[in-house]
């Protein structure tokens, strides 16, 4: 398997927003554990039933569940050229498990202040057809209620995007996920990006890392 890239940062930092640009530049498929879990919840699978309560509460899903999910994902044929991990790993045990099964060449860490995160997440909505990510203020549809990408007219908001749950997710990030930055820095893999700029400016900074 070729090396993979990790897109790292707090909830609402802009990982999903920037992932498409990295996929286009590298050809590595995006693997979002959040999207995989939400699909499982919607389908009502055993995984979904396990994950639902944790996600609604804003807590992390247990490591063994997530590691099992990734072990299965990297067996797919499209993983041979490496993957773009979005929202994984989120704990040291997850990173240690990843280290054993797939090489990582770069960890892109997007930094955003907590208060901006609350504002970003509470204004987020996505196209129900293609998943394109929007924001009430920062990234509205070009034509009201019509998706820029696919022309879809139905949109949804995530159940865990309330202010109260965002604060729990942030606290999980600070206590369980942020220690990973030092872990990856120690391996010389960490690249920090200031995410407190416009979507295009952050995208450009990320593109410069990929040259
Ligand atoms: P997950 O789906 O991974 O959510 P998250 O990490 O909380 O990240 P988000 O998807 O909320 O944010 P994002 O960084 O992608 O931001 P976005 O681009 O949308 O996880 C959900 C849950 O699943 C977790 O809480 C946990 O329970 C579970 N889970 C998932 N993975 C797990 C794991 N590995 N281990 C354990 N549990 C796991 O942007 C946000 C908004 O801001 C958008 O509206 C966007 O338009 C706007 N925006 C983006 N960039 C900018 C900018 N530069 N300026 C202004 N607005 C911007």
């Amino acid at each position: 398997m070729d090396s993979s890239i990790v897109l790292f940062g707090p909830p609402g930092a802009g990982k999903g927003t920037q992932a498409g640009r990295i996929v286009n530049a590298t050809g590595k498929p995006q693997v979002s554990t959040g999207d995989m879990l939400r699909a499982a919840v919607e389908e009502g699978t055993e995984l979904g039933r396990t994950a639902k309560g944790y996600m609604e509460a804003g807590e992390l899903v247990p490591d063994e569940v997530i590691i099992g999910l990734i072990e299965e994902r990297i067996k797919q044929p499209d993983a041979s050229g490496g993957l773009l991990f979005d929202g994984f790993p989120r704990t040291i045990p997850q990173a240690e498990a990843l280290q054993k099964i797939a090489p990582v060449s770069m960890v892109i860490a997007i930094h955003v202040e907590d208060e901006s995160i609350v504002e970003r997440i509470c204004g987020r909505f996505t196209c129900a057809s293609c998943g394109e990510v929007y924001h009430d203020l920062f990234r509205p549809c070009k034509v009201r209620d019509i998706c820029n990408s696919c022309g879809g007219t139905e949109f949804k908001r995530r159940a865990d995007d309330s202010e109260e749950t965002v604060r729990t997710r942030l606290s999980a990030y600070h206590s369980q996920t942020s220690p990973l930055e030092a872990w990856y820095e120690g391996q010389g893999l960490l690249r920090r990006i200031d995410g407190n700029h416009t979507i295009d400016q952050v995208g450009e900074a990320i593109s410069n890392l990929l040259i």
Side-chain angles (χ1 to χ4, degrees), residues 80-122:
S80 61
L83 296 166
L84 172 64
F85 291 109
D86 162 4
F88 171 85
R90 258 167 146 107
T91 63
I92 302 272
Q94 289 182 20
E96 287 171 342
L98 179 61
Q99 199 175 36
K100 287 184 194 142
I101 54 177
V104 170
S105 58
M106 188 189 296
V107 176
I108 301 173
I110 307 179
H111 280 248
V112 178
E113 305 301 324
D114 283 7
E115 282 317 306
S116 307
I117 281 168
V118 174
E119 193 182 16
R120 285 187 188 186
I121 289 189
C122 293

Side-chain angles (χ1 to χ4, degrees), residues 11-12 15-17 33 38 59 90 94 124 134 169 197:
K15 302 183 293 296
T17 300
T33 40
R38 275 184 292 281
E59 292 164 8
R90 258 167 146 107
Q94 289 182 20
R124 169 168 56 188
Y134 294 96
R169 284 160 61 195
H197 296 292

Side-chain angles (χ1 to χ4, degrees), residues 51-73:
K52 192 170 189 274
Y54 294 101
M55 294 175 80
E56 282 177 355
E59 292 164 8
L60 294 186
V61 173
D63 286 336
E64 61 273 19
V65 175
I66 299 292
I67 292 167
L69 197 62
I70 294 296
E71 282 171 345
E72 285 309 306
R73 181 61 184 85

Side-chain angles (χ1 to χ4, degrees), residues 131-154:
E132 187 73 18
V133 185
Y134 294 96
H135 189 280
D136 293 324
L137 297 176
F138 306 132
R139 190 168 190 261
C141 299
K142 285 180 187 149
V143 178
R144 198 185 155 94
D145 296 338
I146 298 181
C147 174
N148 301 349
S149 288
C150 75
T153 53
E154 292 207 8

